[in-house]
Amino acid sequence: MATRIKRALNATFERVRSDWVLLILLIAFVVLQIAKPASVSELFARIDRHTILTLAGLLMLTRAIDQSGFLDWLAQRLLRAFRTERRLALLMVTFAAALSTLLTNDVALFAVVPLAQSLARIAPVRIERLIIFLALAVNAGSSLTPLGNPQNLFLWQHSGMGFGAYVVMMTPVTLGLMAVLLVVCAFAFDSRALHFQRRGPAHDVRWPLLWTALALFVAFVALADHGFAAWACAGVAAVLLIARRNAVLGIDWLLLAIFVLMFVVLRGVAGLPDVRTALGHFDFTGNAMAYGGAAVLSQFISNVPAAILLAEYSQNWPALAHGVAVGGFGLAVGSLANLIALRMAKSQKIWWHFHYLSIPFYLVALLIGFAALKWV
């Protein structure tokens, strides 16, 4: 028993040491605690428990769906229908963007990234490149509706706008971002034919596990949407511990740790008196300052905390909404969806490849967002 625990601790230590995102957050946490110590209760208060519990539930559900074998089965049929890499990539990007308008960008990623990984297991799909485009797609698509991401939901509720009015307001920027993204995607993937590297037998799908996971998925999203994330997560864990124990025990626990530290560190930085004083010197009521401030601040503290923080200094809701939509691109920390996608890829190189594409896209998106804001 002691040997097993020691091996598990050594494996965890090695994973932590090789995960630079987690290491940076740990260092930042220590520095922040030295500069401005916070009590345990204050640290817990910074954590968005609803988000963490929702993420934990989604990790369990998507792992169960993946272990059912359904994604491999679906991947084979997609490859038969879309035989070139370019067509397949355009389909996946469009599907991810459409899904994110209703199920939020992180939920959409938990559906499409495992599917993309299943495609790569049976055909020579450039999986890292595809995952990068899927991350950009859910950021672009989710900007359309109040349900697309947490910052939209926050700004929509505080603005007092109707659901339809919010969608109309965000339609130009969403269409502009998606148009550029699809054009870039068409150039990034060529028209070479995809051939199966292997074929899995049809009976590989564990249908009972799949239907159980899908039923839990629908119930989980409904409960989490109504504020019952804790009960939903507990229910999913209880059922899957019976149906497929590894779907619970084998999730990426370090991803949850990263999100916990992000809330603790980023909200701690946003709450520093010097930060608030510095922001107080700027007038965020105008379009240019509110939009630019949201787009730039998102690059450093993520777009959800940026929306929450700047809402205290400005009620220019259209400018803030456009700014945080654009702010999801650029640096990976700009959107929590980026971190989810890149972590799911399980590759160190993808972080650099992501920024090679995302930073230029961010610069173009800045122009698109500002033009769309002036149009609105």
Side-chain angles (χ1 to χ4, degrees):
M1 187 67 179
T3 305
R4 287 183 180 179
I5 294 175
K6 185 176 180 180
R7 286 177 181 173
L9 290 174
N10 287 337
T12 302
F13 175 76
E14 289 300 321
R15 285 190 63 194
V16 171
R17 192 176 66 172
S18 62
D19 194 320
W20 62 271
V21 175
L22 184 57
L23 286 175
I24 289 173
L25 286 171
L26 286 170
I27 293 170
F29 171 72
V30 172
V31 171
L32 193 61
Q33 279 294 94
I34 294 173
K36 191 176 185 298
S39 66
V40 174
S41 60
E42 289 174 327
L43 294 176
F44 272 107
R46 294 178 192 169
I47 301 170
D48 189 329
R49 288 182 287 275
H50 180 85
T51 298
I52 297 300
L53 290 168
T54 301
L55 178 60
L58 290 171
L59 284 170
M60 290 185 283
L61 287 167
T62 51
R63 185 167 177 83
I65 292 172
D66 187 41
Q67 291 183 345
S68 74
F70 172 73
L71 295 176
D72 285 334
W73 177 87
L74 180 60
Q76 291 180 13
R77 279 144 186 83
L78 285 175
L79 288 174
R80 292 192 186 104
F82 300 88
R83 292 186 175 276
T84 69
E85 188 181 42
R86 178 180 294 149
R87 289 181 181 178
L88 187 65
L90 289 171
L91 168 73
M92 293 289 292
V93 165
T94 303
F95 176 61
L99 201 61
S100 68
T101 63
L102 298 175
L103 295 181
T104 74
N105 49 11
D106 52 353
V107 175
L109 280 175
F110 279 113
V112 296
V113 171
L115 177 57
Q117 291 169 328
S118 294
L119 290 167
R121 285 197 288 266
I122 60 175
V125 178
R126 285 174 282 189
I127 184 61
E128 287 191 8
R129 185 174 299 184
L130 182 55
I131 289 177
I132 290 169
F133 273 93
L134 292 177
L136 298 179
V138 298
N139 282 323
S142 66
S143 64
L144 180 63
T145 71
L147 304 179
N149 51 54
Q151 65 270 21
N152 273 12
L153 185 61
F154 171 80
L155 293 172
W156 171 56
Q157 290 176 339
H158 282 70
S159 69
M161 297 177 65
F163 187 94
Y166 195 96
V167 172
V168 170
M169 177 183 75
M170 299 303 292
T171 294
V173 66
T174 304
L175 291 178
L177 293 172
M178 283 304 303
V180 174
L181 181 61
L182 289 173
V183 170
V184 176
C185 182
F187 280 100
F189 297 90
D190 53 41
S191 58
R192 63 192 177 93
L194 294 175
H195 301 287
F196 286 108
Q197 293 177 341
R198 65 176 179 85
R199 291 178 181 268
H203 61 266
D204 268 355
V205 181
R206 298 181 178 89
W207 294 106
L209 177 60
L210 173 66
W211 296 125
T212 299
L214 290 177
L216 287 172
F217 192 94
V218 173
F220 178 84
V221 171
L223 286 171
D225 251 359
H226 287 83
F228 300 104
W231 288 105
C233 186
V236 166
V239 174
L240 290 182
L241 279 171
I242 298 171
R244 188 75 176 179
R245 186 172 58 179
N246 192 45
V248 178
L249 303 180
I251 66 172
D252 189 350
W253 294 101
L254 286 185
L255 177 60
L256 288 175
I258 284 175
F259 271 77
V260 168
L261 279 171
M262 279 195 67
F263 282 117
V264 170
V265 171
L266 296 180
R267 284 182 169 174
V269 171
L272 289 174
D274 291 342
V275 173
R276 291 187 174 273
T277 301
L279 290 175
H281 291 307
F282 297 94
D283 181 10
F284 290 105
T285 57
N287 275 354
M289 282 300 298
Y291 171 75
V296 173
L297 191 60
S298 297
Q299 295 297 291
F300 301 99
I301 65 170
S302 190
N303 49 14
V304 178
I308 296 171
L309 180 61
L310 290 180
E312 298 185 20
Y313 299 90
S314 174
Q315 293 187 351
N316 190 337
W317 309 117
L320 292 178
H322 283 71
V324 293
V326 169
F329 305 102
L331 299 178
V333 75
S335 169
L336 299 182
N338 295 336
L339 298 178
I340 291 174
L342 299 181
R343 285 282 303 183
M344 291 177 76
K346 297 179 180 177
S347 167
Q348 293 297 323
K349 294 187 298 182
I350 195 173
W351 294 86
W352 300 107
H353 296 161
F354 173 82
H355 289 100
Y356 292 152
L357 181 62
S358 185
I359 290 176
F361 193 90
Y362 170 70
L363 298 176
V364 175
L366 282 172
L367 299 177
I368 294 173
F370 192 69
L373 180 61
K374 292 184 73 68
W375 176 270
V376 171

